[in-house]
Amino acid sequence: MSVPIRFNAQNTLKSAVGDHGIETTDLDPKAALDALIGFRARVDSGEVGFPNLPLDQNTAKSVERFAADLRGEVESVLLLGIGGSALGPYALDTAIRGPHPVQVDKKRSPRLYVMDNVDPDFVSAFLENLNPKRTAVCLITKSGGTAETLSTFMIVHEWLVKAIGGKKAGRRIVAVTDDRKGDLLAIAKAEKYQTFYIPADVGGRFSVFTPVGLLPAALCGLDIKKLLHGVHDANTASWSRTLETNPAMQSALVHHALDTKRGKKIEVVFAYSAYLWGSAFWYRQLWAESLGKRINRKGEVVHTGQTPVAALGVTDQHSQVQLYVEGPNDKMITFWAVEKPRTDLKIPVTKQFLQYDSCAYLAGKKLSSLFQAERMATEAALTEAQRPNCRWTLPRVDEYYIGAFFQLLEFQTAFCGELYGINAFDQPGVELAKKISNGLMGRKGFEEYAQKVGPKKQMIA
Ligand code: PA5
């Protein structure tokens, strides 16, 4: 079945936004087919594995079994991870159960806490607020050696052992890491932690449908079968060689053309759903780290990539929209719209407020109508100001549609990588800073990197 999530790029066309828009001839079907064939070859050769994830039913089943056993014992799941090892689980949880400060889905406990920072104030606050006797720890790092994750792991391990003893702590810590290498793999074996694996051909930011995302989701009571069903349907649509039935490819072509032909170097993702706000941060990493590259596959210096910006509708209408409508015309705006909210509210008809113009026209209307009208108005205002904008529409936000939507966005990113001719699956630009910080912290073998922060070798106690 093809996936019922729609991509609409009408307002990116010249007919809608004048010279800042693209023409249908800019969306080259031959380039699209080449990109699809090129990406398919990478998947078939084993270089890139994310499209194969829905085929792995066994992992999903063992994750579900493990989660079902542990869930009743705990009230909190503390996730230790960063980047691709944290943003996906956070995005899934907030999309399905709601933004963290107001999560209302009491039926599905435990709560998820994502410790993806080493700011000591942040880490201390977590530990003060969680009950170690009722907490499970998901320790996630693909490389197995990320400084942020291993430092918080050692702190949390001590906190847990002090409270419940080493033996019990060992049963409450579950590791997710590469299936072949890395220190976490060795630690998990030595400490006999339950371990789930990330396939070698699935990189961090594409790993949300490996145990990286599935395990916290299952622990928190999300329906991972439904999630993978959506992923599967998005795969079917994304391998379609017919452009009209392949929304991920349509979107890739539009993004690529607006960047390379119209200089839209920034993409604002305008999520008109508070539940999709967390997903915008997951997407921000996917888009930035995959496509922001210095060289192309031929080794030429190209400096590709759009800068992704996350915005929340309607909140950011009163914060960012002035810039988007009247500031530099260097952006494209992508709306994420949802057709049907889970709940709706009617604005009451309250007699004493009807005499006020600002209240009278709102009284009796559905809050969802106002929400939708504001999105439509923002789209219209941007179009009038010749700002190209497009829209993804999800019928609802549930596990099926989230699985499908995220997978479409991963395909869109992979296709765009092919269109730019770059490797969307590496991240050489983050390596140097990692090495320098290792050097500054006194890691053996990294001494020379410490010197990059100044003339003298510097060490941090
Ligand atoms: O997408 C990526 O590869 C990165 O963002 C990683 O996910 C991030 O650096 C964390 O790496 P690791 O999972 O190895 O700790």
Side-chain angles (χ1 to χ4, degrees), residues 240-247 250:
S240 164
R241 291 184 176 215
T242 311
L243 194 49
E244 290 71 36
T245 56
N246 188 335
Q250 292 165 22

XYZ file of all heavy atoms in Angstrom, residues 240-247 250:
72
model
N 9.156 3.786 -5.557
C 8.392 3.910 -6.797
C 9.168 4.750 -7.818
O 9.691 5.808 -7.502
C 7.043 4.577 -6.505
O 6.480 5.012 -7.723
N 9.216 4.241 -9.029
C 9.925 4.988 -10.085
C 9.020 6.001 -10.760
O 9.435 6.709 -11.662
C 10.481 4.007 -11.115
C 11.602 3.177 -10.525
C 12.220 2.264 -11.547
N 13.355 1.574 -10.937
C 14.463 1.244 -11.565
N 14.590 1.531 -12.842
N 15.433 0.621 -10.945
N 7.774 6.041 -10.317
C 6.838 7.032 -10.862
C 6.834 8.224 -9.916
O 6.411 8.107 -8.753
C 5.415 6.427 -10.939
O 5.529 5.168 -11.572
C 4.457 7.306 -11.697
N 7.303 9.345 -10.425
C 7.471 10.517 -9.558
C 6.172 10.911 -8.853
O 6.177 11.271 -7.669
C 8.023 11.670 -10.407
C 8.584 12.880 -9.677
C 9.567 12.500 -8.588
C 9.219 13.845 -10.670
N 5.063 10.802 -9.541
C 3.761 11.227 -8.975
C 3.400 10.425 -7.726
O 2.645 10.899 -6.881
C 2.621 11.049 -10.002
C 2.649 12.003 -11.175
C 3.793 11.706 -12.136
O 4.115 10.513 -12.338
O 4.392 12.676 -12.650
N 3.905 9.207 -7.610
C 3.538 8.383 -6.447
C 4.698 8.262 -5.456
O 4.676 7.415 -4.568
C 3.100 6.964 -6.889
O 4.155 6.393 -7.660
C 1.826 7.002 -7.701
N 5.705 9.115 -5.621
C 6.874 9.036 -4.744
C 7.108 10.391 -4.059
O 7.909 11.211 -4.507
C 8.096 8.625 -5.572
C 9.309 8.337 -4.703
O 9.424 8.857 -3.592
N 10.214 7.517 -5.201
N 6.395 10.655 -2.935
C 6.494 11.982 -2.313
C 7.892 12.311 -1.782
O 8.302 13.474 -1.792
C 5.481 11.926 -1.161
C 5.153 10.493 -0.959
C 5.430 9.780 -2.240
N 9.731 13.610 -4.767
C 9.228 14.953 -5.144
C 9.842 16.002 -4.220
O 10.338 17.036 -4.665
C 7.708 15.032 -5.003
C 6.922 14.197 -5.985
C 5.463 14.066 -5.529
O 4.950 14.864 -4.756
N 4.793 13.030 -6.005
